[in-house]
Amino acid sequence: MSGTMIRNEKRKNKNIYYFEQKKVIPSYLIALVAGNLTYRDLSDRSRVFSEPEMIESCETEFEDVDIYLSKAEELLTPYEWGRYDFVVMPPSYPFGGMENP
């Protein structure tokens, strides 16, 4: 997820999150995810989102993501999107998907 979370608000029993996308991207690269989600920061530039029941195992599974990202930057170029956030879909989600910036 390349949009940067700029703020969140609590309204009654809802959390509302606001994101900003500074790079122009084609509309087919937009994906929306809604549900009972929480997140953990993995580094200052990456975060994993998942259902609360899965967040600890997701955090453990992806704890080295910044190491891999840094290595890729050494071999190629700096990561142009700034943040590398991603969502781990629940086991009940029956569909694959494409990568989005």
Side-chain angles (χ1 to χ4, degrees):
M1 187 164 61
S2 59
T4 302
M5 185 168 37
I6 55 175
R7 74 178 195 275
N8 65 8
E9 298 175 3
K10 288 199 179 273
R11 291 188 191 167
K12 296 182 182 175
N13 62 344
K14 296 179 184 177
N15 290 319
I16 300 172
Y17 298 91
Y18 295 86
F19 293 86
E20 178 179 55
Q21 174 57 273
K22 293 185 177 182
K23 292 192 175 285
V24 177
I25 59 173
S27 60
Y28 71 88
L29 291 178
I30 301 294
L32 299 176
V33 179
N36 183 21
L37 299 172
T38 190
Y39 64 87
R40 294 275 175 91
D41 289 321
L42 301 171
S43 71
D44 61 342
R45 65 176 176 169
S46 64
R47 174 180 293 150
V48 60
F49 291 80
S50 78
E51 292 180 312
E53 300 81 12
M54 296 174 51
I55 195 64
E56 285 186 32
S57 61
C58 291
E59 181 181 26
T60 302
E61 182 69 25
F62 295 106
E63 65 188 0
D64 293 333
V65 74
D66 200 54
I67 294 169
Y68 301 136
L69 191 56
S70 294
K71 191 56 158 174
E73 289 177 315
E74 285 178 29
L75 296 171
L76 303 167
T77 62
Y79 183 64
E80 70 177 278
W81 298 99
R83 290 204 56 86
Y84 187 75
D85 296 343
F86 50 96
V87 178
V88 175
M89 301 305 291
S92 61
Y93 187 75
F95 304 103
M98 63 179 279
E99 296 78 19
N100 298 47

